[in-house]
Every structure is written in structure tokens, then in C-alpha cells.
Amino acid sequence: MRTVVRLLTAVERTERQERTLARVRTECARTDARFREQGIDLAVSISQALDELADGTPSTDLCPAYSYAFYLTVAAHFSDPTDLGAWRRPSWFHAMDDELARHGVPADLLPGMFLFSGPPLRLPHPGDAVPAIGTLPTRRAAALAEAYTRVLDRLDPEFRGAARRFADAMRFEAEQWDSARRLGTNPDTLLFWFH
């Protein structure tokens, strides 16, 4: 994530950063075309939002295009996307927060705290509830997996499946983080994307 933030906030970009930005621009244009085909109008195109983010000059305070541009920038750097499921209402996770907290899960590991925490840099607000961005430090993945697994059998059945999916995914991420650290790299952030 540090690499993504540096790319979007650089005063002068390196040649490598410019190549990455060119790849991201291509993905933004593809997404813009797909949205046009679907009749979705974001007011500001995702391509324009990327350019404005890179220049540090967003032209509006309210538009989802900037979140999409940020996500596509992250996607150019992250290599392990995982689908955690489909939920009709992001607000459901606040009820899950209450259930997990009731059983002793620490506040910083509750889904409402990290799923909707926002990106690590200021973006114009997306408007409606989606798209939403959240982050969790990768080093916390093991603690999350352990905390959710510990209370899994005591959770209301409504929340048990989601908690199990999160625990399994975070256990995998913790193993990947340990492996990467042994190889001398430091994956710093897990990104959560609701759209």
C-alpha cells in the first residue's frame, strides 16, 4: 500500500511509476467503457478521477469514480484477490460487530472497523454506501483469524458462516505474510472492496 500511496502522491514520478500509471489508465478506460455499456454515469470518469488523484486535484468532493480509480491502482500492485462473499447491506456488518464484541473480540478486529475504514489517503466521498474501501494491517491477520475461530461456536448462526470465511481468509493471509517476511518482503496492507 505504501507503493500505491507513493505513486498517487509523487511530485515527480519515476519511469517505473509512469509505466504502472499507464497500465492503470488502461484499466480505468476499460472500466469506463464497461460502465458506459451498462448505462452507469459517475459524473466524473474513472480515467479522469485517476488523473486528478495523480495530480492531487480532485474536481469534486462527492463521486465514486475516485474510489474506483484508487481500487484499480491497488489492483495493479496486489496479486491475490479473494472473494469473501456477497452481502446485500454493508450495514449488516455492524450487527456482526455487536455479536463478535459480545464474545470478546477486540474492537480493532471487528468487521465494521476495518471493512469500512477507508483508504489510506483522502479521496472524495463515493456517495452512497458503495463502493466502500477498508484496510487492515497484514500483521493483524493472524490475530483476527484466531479471535474469530475462538468464538465461532458461540456465535449466532446468522454470523457464523461469515466469521468462518473471514477466519479462513485471514489465516491464509497470515501464512502468506509470514512467508513473504522470510523472503525479505513486507506486504503491509489488506484491502477490502465493496461494490
Side-chain angles (χ1 to χ4, degrees):
M1 192 61 73
R2 286 186 296 269
T3 304
V4 171
V5 171
R6 280 194 294 268
L7 173 68
L8 291 175
T9 59
V11 175
E12 292 183 32
R13 287 182 188 79
T14 66
E15 189 176 312
R16 182 177 185 190
Q17 287 175 318
E18 287 296 343
R19 284 193 308 269
T20 300
L21 209 47
R23 283 195 327 269
V24 175
R25 280 189 182 102
T26 299
E27 291 307 313
C28 288
R30 285 183 186 150
T31 304
D32 281 332
R34 191 176 77 242
F35 280 9
R36 275 192 305 276
E37 288 172 8
Q38 296 172 359
I40 298 171
D41 179 15
L42 300 179
V44 172
S45 73
I46 298 168
S47 298
Q48 178 183 340
L50 175 67
D51 288 339
E52 291 177 3
L53 286 176
D55 291 341
T57 58
S59 60
T60 182
D61 292 332
L62 183 71
C63 182
Y66 299 91
S67 294
Y68 283 104
F70 179 79
Y71 171 76
L72 292 169
T73 304
V74 170
H77 291 86
F78 283 45
S79 60
D80 297 327
T82 301
D83 187 350
L84 290 174
W87 287 274
R88 293 180 61 176
R89 292 180 321 274
S91 61
W92 177 84
F93 286 102
H94 298 296
M96 187 174 174
D97 285 355
D98 293 341
E99 178 70 4
L100 289 166
R102 191 166 66 84
H103 294 287
V105 172
D108 69 323
L109 299 178
L110 299 175
M113 296 302 288
F114 63 85
L115 292 177
F116 309 105
S117 60
L121 57 93
R122 191 174 182 285
L123 299 178
H125 194 279
D128 289 337
V130 293
I133 295 172
T135 60
L136 180 74
T138 307
R139 71 183 187 292
R140 297 293 288 149
L144 190 147
E146 181 182 315
Y148 284 30
T149 300
R150 188 174 51 247
V151 302
L152 201 57
D153 293 339
R154 293 179 285 165
L155 295 178
D156 183 291
E158 177 183 359
F159 305 106
R160 206 171 289 151
R164 183 176 288 112
R165 278 194 299 269
F166 276 103
D168 292 345
M170 293 303 109
R171 193 171 300 106
F172 173 80
E173 292 299 335
E175 290 167 3
Q176 294 296 308
W177 185 69
D178 284 339
S179 176
R181 303 244 327 155
R182 283 192 299 274
L183 295 172
T185 61
N186 186 17
D188 56 356
T189 306
L190 297 170
L191 178 86
F192 298 91
W193 172 250
F194 286 86
H195 66 104

